[in-house]
Amino acid sequence: MSSTLASIPDALGSAWDAVSAVSEPAPPALIVVTAVIALVLVTVRPLWLATRHLITQAHEGSHALVARLVGRRLSGIRLHSDTSGVTVSSGNPRGPGMMATAFAGYVGPAVLGFLAATLLTLDRPAAVLWSVLAALALLILLIRNLFGFLSVLAVGAAVGAAAYYGDPVIRYTAAYLLTWVLLFGATRPVVELARTHRRGGGGGSDADQLRWLTRIPAGLWILVFGLVTAGTAVYGTARIVLTQF
């Protein structure tokens, strides 16, 4: 028993070393190729229908994170095969906390992508992968339906394999691909929401919730979502380009 307890600090130290490891800079060609692949994944519709599940996970996870930060009680998250999702929380139905929770969903993937891009500018692909894996582990505890559980499990298995078994090239490839997909893919759901809203649909969306909370038209909230996600994508891309090339 004592030997087991004594080994815990060593195990934690090894884990921290793996997470915080600084790698040699990624080859510029790898950065470009992963960016092109990510663009294809978020622009070609059949591929986007699969890629969007990752964006939805980040979207709903952002709702959940902010809900907890502002003191709301989480009931769970459901992810559906049509790439929609819902996060249920309870608390004050109005006020800044509810506004922040509703706002976080569409901008969350872009912000997470920017944070990952920042780690990559420091040559820390392992930190990106292990951070994503930790976030997915917390997310799966909140999932309340089978498809959502399997969806998060599949992404987690792929990220975990790259983080644990991958060499530096594989880690960089996975980390950059995740980062580019989050940065480039965050804006497309906003564009889709704008189209739906223009056709008179989208009732019950985050923008409509914010309209109800603030009396600011849903269209203006959609515009803000678009400006934040597109601006974050441009800034995150610029940081990578300026530091890695």
Side-chain angles (χ1 to χ4, degrees), residues 11 52-53 87 99 103 109 123 125-126 140-141 147-148 168 200-201 208 239 242:
R52 200 183 194 284
H53 288 292
T87 299
M99 289 171 55
F103 184 78
D123 300 323
I140 206 168
L141 296 176
F147 179 85
D208 280 296
R239 287 204 64 180
L242 292 175

Side-chain angles (χ1 to χ4, degrees), residues 41 48-61 79 83 109 112 132 136 139 151 155-156 159 177-182:
L41 290 174
W48 169 244
L49 294 177
T51 306
R52 200 183 194 284
H53 288 292
L54 176 62
I55 302 299
T56 301
Q57 290 173 20
H59 178 119
E60 300 303 334
L79 304 173
T83 74
L112 295 174
V132 170
L136 291 171
L139 181 64
S151 174
V155 175
V159 174
L177 194 57
L178 281 169
T179 301
W180 291 131
V181 166
L182 289 170

